[in-house]
Amino acid sequence: MAKPDSIFVDFKWIILLLLFVEVSGRNRYKKYIEPSFVEETTNITVYKGQTAVLKCTVENLGPKTVVWRRISPNTFLSIGERMYAEIEEMSVDVTRYPKYDRVQTDLIIKHAQPTHSGLYECQISSTKIYNYIVQLNVLDTHPVFEPALTINGTVYVNKYSFINLTCNATGALRAPEDVDWFHNGIKIRQNDPHWRHRTYIYKYQQEVPGKSLVSTLMVERSEERDAGTYICRSSDKDTQSITVHVLNADKNLQKREPNIGIVSKPGHQTLENSCSPCRLLNNGLFLMTFAVVFVHR
């Protein structure tokens, strides 16, 4: 008969064995999770002389390695964290995110030239094919932006309505540093008593960074004194203007008739004043119709 102590020892070993099997099973399961690519931009366009960054992020990489190669001509560029090809303007940057089990391997091309344009492939070293294709376009010339300043918005507004004006300033090489607003020759300041708590100026850049600056002027509860010429002036001293009219609706309502609400026009009379014979004719027709009905009965 086994002693209680020996039974306890055997039971303890059984528990340890089960834990080992469970842990080893989990590790074995992790090894069989297939790696996958995280979707990145697959079509990259830069201009001659700029730096091109081709991104490749892999989940569940495990012990495998990421390889970059150029498809045409077929050239292996990097393996893991090291460059395979001795190309001075190319390098590889590897960032690991253990928390998310991700590895980001970027191929960096400095001073990109049109000859660098083409297809690049990010591979995972494995017996199974895992690849991710990136198209690189290197343009020879930069786009030309003509300097321009435009202004548009609400020209006619009712009293107490919004005045909304937009000024778009585009630079040839860069956007203007700032844009100022003027009303009848006086610079608009939001803390001025005339504009305080009802005037807002917003500024933001367009999709092409550094090329265009957009400024919006909004005036709440417009008054008659807000009418006039609004000027948008960029820091490059270019200007554009627009004239805003504030309509007083109360004055327009005074032109209406007090009883019937019809606007009086010279030389035009209402039906009641201009067609008395018509009323007599209508009455005669009514009496004749009544007489015919009465006879037939």
Side-chain angles (χ1 to χ4, degrees):
M1 183 175 177
K3 295 181 180 180
D5 292 341
S6 62
I7 294 174
F8 177 75
V9 172
D10 293 340
F11 184 68
K12 181 176 68 174
W13 282 109
I14 292 173
I15 294 176
L16 291 175
L17 180 61
L18 291 173
L19 290 174
F20 174 77
V21 170
E22 183 181 358
V23 172
S24 62
R26 288 179 181 176
N27 292 335
R28 190 177 297 110
Y29 173 72
K30 286 185 178 179
K31 291 179 182 178
Y32 285 97
I33 297 179
E34 291 191 2
S36 60
F37 293 98
V38 177
E39 289 295 329
E40 303 278 4
T41 302
T42 58
N43 197 321
I44 299 174
T45 300
V46 297
Y47 295 102
K48 181 179 178 180
Q50 292 183 331
T51 298
V53 180
L54 282 61
K55 296 181 179 293
C56 179
T57 304
V58 181
E59 289 184 337
N60 305 312
L61 182 63
K64 298 178 177 61
T65 306
V66 174
V67 178
W68 273 103
R69 80 176 182 96
R70 186 171 183 178
I71 294 179
S72 180
N74 186 9
T75 308
F76 281 91
L77 302 174
S78 69
I79 301 176
E81 300 183 6
R82 295 188 177 185
M83 289 296 298
Y84 179 80
E86 295 182 359
I87 304 177
E88 184 178 356
E89 65 270 16
M90 292 188 182
S91 61
V92 65
D93 181 59
V94 178
T95 306
R96 301 182 184 275
Y97 303 93
K99 182 178 179 180
Y100 304 101
D101 200 8
R102 288 184 177 182
V103 178
Q104 179 177 322
T105 306
D106 296 341
L107 179 66
I108 302 173
I109 306 175
K110 296 181 179 179
H111 308 293
Q113 300 297 316
T115 54
H116 291 129
S117 298
L119 294 175
Y120 292 78
E121 181 185 54
C122 176
Q123 296 180 349
I124 298 175
S125 59
S126 173
T127 55
K128 186 177 179 179
I129 298 177
Y130 298 95
N131 60 354
Y132 188 79
I133 307 298
V134 179
Q135 169 74 45
L136 174 63
N137 310 293
V138 182
L139 304 183
D140 192 28
T141 57
H142 288 261
V144 178
F145 291 89
E146 294 294 334
L149 189 69
T150 60
I151 184 172
N152 57 71
T154 49
V155 176
Y156 293 93
V157 297
N158 290 323
K159 189 177 180 181
Y160 307 125
S161 298
F162 275 95
I163 296 176
N164 194 339
L165 304 177
T166 300
C167 178
N168 191 331
T170 302
L173 299 176
R174 58 173 179 79
E177 295 180 0
D178 201 3
V179 168
D180 293 321
W181 287 94
F182 295 82
H183 175 247
N184 293 333
I186 302 175
K187 186 176 180 179
I188 297 176
R189 304 181 187 276
Q190 297 181 71
N191 59 352
D192 187 274
H194 178 86
W195 307 106
R196 188 181 301 159
H197 303 313
R198 64 188 189 95
T199 302
Y200 307 93
I201 298 176
Y202 303 98
K203 299 174 185 177
Y204 57 94
Q205 288 189 344
Q206 293 286 65
E207 294 180 358
V208 182
K211 299 296 183 183
S212 181
L213 177 66
V214 176
S215 178
T216 301
L217 173 69
M218 294 183 63
V219 181
E220 295 180 346
R221 304 184 304 278
S222 61
E223 304 172 359
E224 291 183 75
R225 58 177 180 167
D226 296 332
T229 302
Y230 287 80
I231 297 175
C232 169
R233 187 184 70 181
S234 70
S235 55
D236 298 332
K237 305 305 179 184
D238 294 329
T239 61
Q240 276 290 355
S241 64
I242 188 171
T243 301
V244 176
H245 306 270
V246 179
L247 307 178
N248 191 344
D250 295 337
K251 291 182 179 179
N252 295 334
L253 290 175
Q254 291 176 4
K255 297 180 180 180
R256 298 180 180 273
E257 291 290 338
N259 294 329
I260 60 176
I262 300 176
V263 177
S264 299
K265 295 183 180 180
H268 177 76
Q269 295 180 339
T270 62
L271 185 62
E272 292 181 355
N273 296 330
S274 62
C275 197
S276 297
C278 295
R279 291 202 307 274
L280 295 174
L281 180 61
N282 289 337
N283 292 336
L285 291 174
F286 173 77
L287 293 174
M288 289 176 62
T289 304
F290 180 81
V292 170
V293 173
F294 180 80
V295 169
H296 282 283
R297 292 182 61 184

